[in-house]
Every structure is written in C-alpha cells, then in structure tokens.
C-alpha cells in the first residue's frame, strides 16, 4: 500500500479553469451524511489505490437592495469561505489514518454543477443521501438525487442509515428509529447488481464485478420481475410468465459465463425473483456491501429495472448504491459468444 500523502486544500475560485480531478471525488458539507460518504470514499480509495479529492462548494447569496437607489447587494464571502475551509480541515483530519493520497478544494459555484464537471475526469463520485443543515445545507439533498442521472462516471450514494457498518454514530432520530426497528443487520461480503437484459445493465455488471473483485466478495446478479398490471392484466399470466422466466434464466446463465470469462477468479451467482425491482434491491441493500444499477435500460426484459427504478432505489436504500452511466464498453462485443442476447439476432 502506498504511503499516505495529504496536501493542503486549494482554492477553487482562483480564476481560470479548474484542474482536472482524477481518482475518487467525495462531496462534503459538514453533515453526518457527508461524513459517512467520506469514510466510504476513503476506504474505496484505499482498495483501488487511487487518490481521494474532497470538495465542498458554495454560492454567495445576492440580495435586492431595499434603499431608494435600488440595485443589488452581495454578501462578503469571507465568512462563508472560512466555514468551508473549516469543513475541509475536519474532513482531512477524519481520513488522515488511511494510506491514500488526499487533497481537497473549496469551490465557488452551484454544488451540482461543480461535482458534475468533476465527473468528466474522475473515476468515481461519492456523496451522502442528503444534508440536514450542514454547510449552508447546499451540497447534499436535491443535489444528490440529480447527480447519478447526469454524471459521466459512476456515482455512489451512501445513506446515513448504514453509518454503523462504517463505524459512524448519529443522533438523527429517524435513523436511530430505523435501526431499532430493523435490528442488527449482518453484512454479507456480496456485491449485488440488478439487471434487466439491456446492454446498460451489462455495463453495470462489469463495474459490479470489478468492485466485487476488489472486495474479494461474491457477485450476485439479480433480476426481479414485477407482476403484470394495467393494460397487461389480460395476458394469460401463468403460461407467459413461465416462458418469460425460462427465457431469462437461459440469458442469466449465459451472462454468468460471459462475466467469468473476464473475471475468472470471481464467484458469481444469480437470483431470479418475482417482485418489484425497487423492493428487491432495497431489501438487498440492508445486508450486502454494495448494490449496483445502471442509469437506464433500453428495452431489456420489459424495460423493468432501470430508469425510474434506479431513482426509487436511491430514495429508499439502506446501504451504498452505485449507479453506472450509459457508456460503451469493448467487453460487450463478445457477450453473444456465450448464449442468447435479448434484442439481438
């Protein structure tokens, strides 16, 4: 493992273009939610042996003047900047014990815009589910729900409710109530990836397989098939559903052979279940290391998993969730060599 190196934070508002950020980026705002994301990101940086970049962002508010001369008045940003620098100092101290190369920056601008720009060159973006107060309450919250759909690199959302597995405590009464209700949840050394038969899901499988390999974990490929509803209620369900499940099973088996060809030492299993993809994957998130999904599907098995489903998982997840953007991967080219592929001749 490389020797730990830490660098002072830099000012992201020094004029000109921001330098390209490599490795793992984590957004912080001083809240407990961002502390959980920070710890998860530091552990992942250590596993990947990649640098960690900690960032916080703020916008200076502008107020309409109430005097007779009209116009606008701006707030001196020195106090806000000092608060941002204090948050970064706290974050740097928190990850000081990890064997990783760390730096940090204060960025002046819209938090979502700043982080999305960084995904152009970063390998991974990590953030908490939402901020409660925190640094101007600005970084997390609605920002976190917008990022996965538009990021150019994979993103990982880390909810506060899974903080206990990261060694983090919380005074959040909602989280404490959730933990009391669900009790202790042992975490399996498993990475779960949701699939729907689309190429986008296959890209997510490859990312999940790489994550499982880093964790020395098992990869579980999950396909959840919801019940017919609405206009499809007239379909003769028993016969068609049996045929659908048989078809999916053949393709899942072919998918496992394909994944194993690229990750020969990885233990891979499949799970084909009857139920809502959101419910199935949210439940899985309680007791596995990571859940992985794509941003959207293109057809697939009735187009049932990706898109709005990944959104639903992010809103209700009980553990870290990675969302993989739609992108090309040369390893998709040999998938058809291992068995039937839905939608291809």
């Amino acid at each position: 493992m490389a020797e730990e190196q830490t660098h002072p934070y830099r000012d992201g508002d020094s004029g000109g273009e921001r330098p390209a950020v490599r490795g793992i980026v984590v957004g912080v705002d001083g809240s407990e939610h961002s502390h959980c994301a920070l710890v998860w990101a530091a552990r992942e940086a250590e596993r990947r042996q990649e640098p960690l970049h900690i960032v916080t962002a703020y916008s200076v508010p502008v107020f309409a003047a109430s005097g007779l001369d009209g116009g606008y008045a701006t707030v001196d940003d020195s106090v806000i900047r000092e608060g941002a620098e204090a948050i970064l100092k706290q974050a740097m101290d928190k990850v000081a014990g990890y064997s990783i190369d760390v730096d940090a920056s204060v960025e002046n601008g819209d938090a979502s815009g700043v982080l999305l720009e960084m995904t152009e060159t970063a390998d991974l973006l990590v953030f908490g589910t939402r901020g409660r107060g925190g640094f101007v309450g600005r970084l997390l919250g609605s920002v976190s729900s917008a990022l996965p759909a538009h990021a150019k690199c994979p993103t990982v959302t880390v909810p506060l409710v899974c903080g206990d597995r990261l060694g983090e405590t919380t005074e959040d009464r909602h989280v404490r109530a959730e933990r009391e209700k669900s009790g202790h949840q042992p975490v399996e050394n498993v990475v779960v990836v949701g699939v729907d038969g689309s190429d986008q899901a296959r890209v997510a499988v490859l990312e999940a397989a790489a994550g499982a390999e880093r964790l020395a974990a098992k990869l579980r490929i999950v396909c959840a098939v919801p019940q017919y509803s609405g206009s499809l209620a007239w379909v003769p369900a028993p016969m068609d559903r049996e045929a659908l499940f048989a078809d999916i099973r053949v393709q899942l088996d072919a998918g496992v052979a394909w994944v194993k060809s690229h990750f020969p030492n990885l233990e891979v299993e499949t799970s084909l279940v009857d139920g809502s993809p959101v419910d199935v994957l949210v439940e899985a998130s309680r007791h596995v290391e990571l859940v992985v999904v794509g941003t959207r599907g293109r057809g697939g098995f009735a187009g049932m998993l990706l898109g709005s489903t990944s959104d639903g998982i992010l809103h209700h997840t009980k553990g870290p969730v990675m969302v993989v953007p739609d992108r090309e991967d040369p390893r998709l080219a040999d998938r058809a060599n291992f068995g039937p592929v839905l939608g291809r001749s």
Side-chain angles (χ1 to χ4, degrees):
M1 194 71 69
E3 182 181 353
E4 175 195 352
Q5 301 177 51
T6 56
H7 305 288
Y9 52 78
R10 60 178 176 79
D11 186 347
D13 190 33
S14 55
E17 293 186 3
R18 295 186 181 97
V21 175
R22 305 290 177 183
I24 296 176
V25 174
V26 59
V28 299
D29 69 351
S31 66
E32 291 180 332
H33 297 75
S34 70
H35 288 169
C36 277
L38 176 64
V39 171
W40 192 94
R43 292 184 180 186
E44 183 68 6
E46 205 167 50
R47 285 189 287 265
R48 296 187 184 208
Q49 298 186 21
E50 290 188 2
L52 177 67
H53 181 78
I54 306 169
V55 60
T56 194
Y58 73 95
S59 298
V60 179
V62 178
F63 301 95
S66 57
L68 294 176
D69 56 345
Y72 292 88
T74 60
V75 175
D76 182 352
D77 74 346
S78 60
V79 174
I80 299 176
R81 182 173 294 278
E82 286 174 9
E85 291 169 353
I87 284 168
L88 288 188
K89 172 67 165 57
Q90 181 186 37
M92 295 278 283
D93 290 345
K94 195 171 187 67
V95 299
Y98 291 89
S99 298
I100 52 177
D101 188 0
V102 186
D103 72 350
S105 66
V106 176
E107 304 289 346
N108 189 346
D110 176 75
S112 56
V114 166
L115 294 174
L116 285 174
E117 183 180 332
M118 290 183 174
T119 67
E120 296 280 353
T121 56
D123 294 324
L124 184 68
L125 174 63
V126 183
F127 44 85
T129 47
R130 61 191 173 89
R132 178 163 293 179
F135 180 54
V136 211
R138 186 61 196 94
L139 181 61
L140 305 178
S142 59
V143 174
S144 64
S145 62
L147 289 172
H150 303 287
K152 302 300 183 185
C153 71
T155 61
V156 172
T157 304
V158 184
L160 183 58
V161 72
C162 74
D164 53 348
R165 69 170 82 172
L166 297 168
E168 292 294 296
T169 58
T170 180
E171 297 303 316
D172 187 298
R173 61 187 179 86
H174 299 287
V175 171
R176 291 169 73 91
E178 168 73 22
R179 287 179 182 169
E180 288 173 9
K181 177 176 148 185
S182 58
H184 176 68
Q185 295 282 339
V187 178
E188 296 179 82
N189 194 26
V190 172
V191 172
V192 165
V193 57
V195 299
D196 70 349
S198 65
D199 270 351
Q200 174 53 41
R202 294 183 189 102
V203 172
V205 168
L206 292 171
E207 195 70 43
E213 197 168 65
R214 284 190 294 270
L215 285 162
K218 180 192 299 182
L219 177 66
R220 182 176 298 149
I221 302 173
V222 174
C223 183
V225 184
Q227 291 290 332
Y228 291 127
S229 61
S231 61
L232 294 180
W234 57 269
V235 173
M239 182 181 298
D240 286 5
R241 203 158 180 80
E242 285 176 14
L244 174 64
F245 270 66
D247 180 55
I248 294 174
R249 172 57 64 193
V250 168
Q251 295 188 54
L252 285 175
D253 291 344
V256 169
W258 170 66
V259 172
K260 293 281 288 182
S261 74
H262 294 286
F263 298 88
N265 298 320
L266 188 63
E267 185 179 355
V268 185
E269 66 181 27
T270 61
S271 176
L272 177 56
V273 296
D274 208 336
S276 157
V278 171
D279 292 345
V280 168
L281 294 175
V282 166
E283 182 58 31
S285 72
R286 293 179 184 274
H287 47 78
V288 298
E289 290 286 353
L290 181 67
V291 169
V292 183
V293 293
T295 47
R296 58 195 175 92
R298 291 181 175 173
F301 305 132
M304 66 214 176
L305 176 64
L306 306 178
S308 59
T309 300
S310 59
D311 231 13
I313 295 164
L314 289 173
H315 280 96
H316 301 287
T317 183
K318 309 304 179 185
V321 174
M322 175 183 287
V323 177
V324 181
D326 193 2
R327 59 186 181 184
E328 298 295 324
D329 192 303
R331 291 171 292 183
L332 293 176
D334 65 0
R335 167 60 182 84
N337 297 340
F338 295 88
V341 181
L342 189 68
R344 294 184 187 176
S345 55

